[in-house]
Amino acid sequence: MKKWLFLTISALLLFGLSGCGKSVEEQINMGVASSQTVFEESPKEANKKMGQIELYLPSGYKIQDTDDVNNYVLTKGKDKYILFVNVNEKEDSKLHYELLKKNMSKAIVKEQPLELDGIFGFTMVLEHGENQFELVASSGGVKVSTISNDRKIDNKLEEMMRIARSVEVIH
């Protein structure tokens, strides 16, 4: 009898705690705020080199080999990210931002343009389907994007901006 009581109480506690997670809106707001903070910080020192770029990859991220000098695939667990580097765009480039703003096929859930010392960047969250979002973090000619479910959006946006800000083109 004590065993069943313990299991029942444990199950109720687990069920109750699982509902205490952040809402999607909270995750998006926190992620956008965190990515702004990261944008305003000094970029992390590069710990990876791939083709003609050097960049910082947070723990758990891997970069896949590619022949494309503009597009790289990053993975972390089951999540895939596209890192696009336009070597011809300067740090003040608004190209990625303007292209996404003109694309009316996806609704913008939240956007945050950012400027600091002649560098333009932004964070954007777009609807991608039921309980799915396209997350974008960009700095100059660098854009990191992924499709995400409604979990860990805040952490992903922060890490994506950290990666975007760290990319340096080697000439």
Side-chain angles (χ1 to χ4, degrees), residues 14-133:
L14 186 60
F15 183 77
L17 290 175
S18 66
C20 293
K22 295 175 255 181
S23 72
V24 172
E25 187 176 340
E26 288 173 316
Q27 290 180 62
I28 290 170
N29 289 335
M30 288 177 68
V32 169
S34 294
S35 66
Q36 179 174 352
T37 301
V38 168
F39 182 84
E40 293 169 351
E41 294 172 351
S42 295
K44 287 276 197 179
E45 191 173 315
N47 60 5
K48 297 283 183 209
K49 183 178 178 182
M50 187 72 170
Q52 63 185 120
I53 64 166
E54 291 182 337
L55 73 156
Y56 170 79
L57 286 182
S59 179
Y61 282 82
K62 292 180 172 67
I63 191 164
Q64 295 180 355
D65 288 333
T66 179
D67 294 332
D68 191 334
V69 297
N70 294 323
N71 290 294
Y72 303 88
V73 176
L74 308 177
T75 58
K76 182 178 181 184
K78 295 179 182 176
D79 295 322
K80 287 190 183 227
Y81 301 81
I82 302 297
L83 170 64
F84 177 77
V85 181
N86 186 336
V87 297
N88 299 315
E89 291 297 315
K90 303 219 181 310
E91 288 186 323
D92 64 351
S93 173
K94 296 181 180 179
L95 178 68
H96 297 303
Y97 182 70
E98 291 167 353
L99 289 172
L100 281 170
K101 291 282 288 180
K102 286 179 186 174
N103 181 359
M104 301 305 289
S105 66
K106 295 179 185 173
I108 297 172
V109 176
K110 186 158 182 105
E111 65 179 295
Q112 180 65 58
L114 306 160
E115 291 191 62
L116 176 71
D117 300 330
I119 302 168
F120 178 80
F122 69 93
T123 305
M124 193 176 290
V125 178
L126 303 117
E127 286 183 358
H128 189 76
E130 195 170 322
N131 296 324
Q132 283 198 322
F133 302 90

Side-chain angles (χ1 to χ4, degrees), residues 2-15:
K2 285 184 181 180
K3 185 178 180 180
W4 282 107
L5 181 60
F6 175 76
L7 288 173
T8 303
I9 291 172
S10 296
L12 288 172
L13 281 173
L14 186 60
F15 183 77

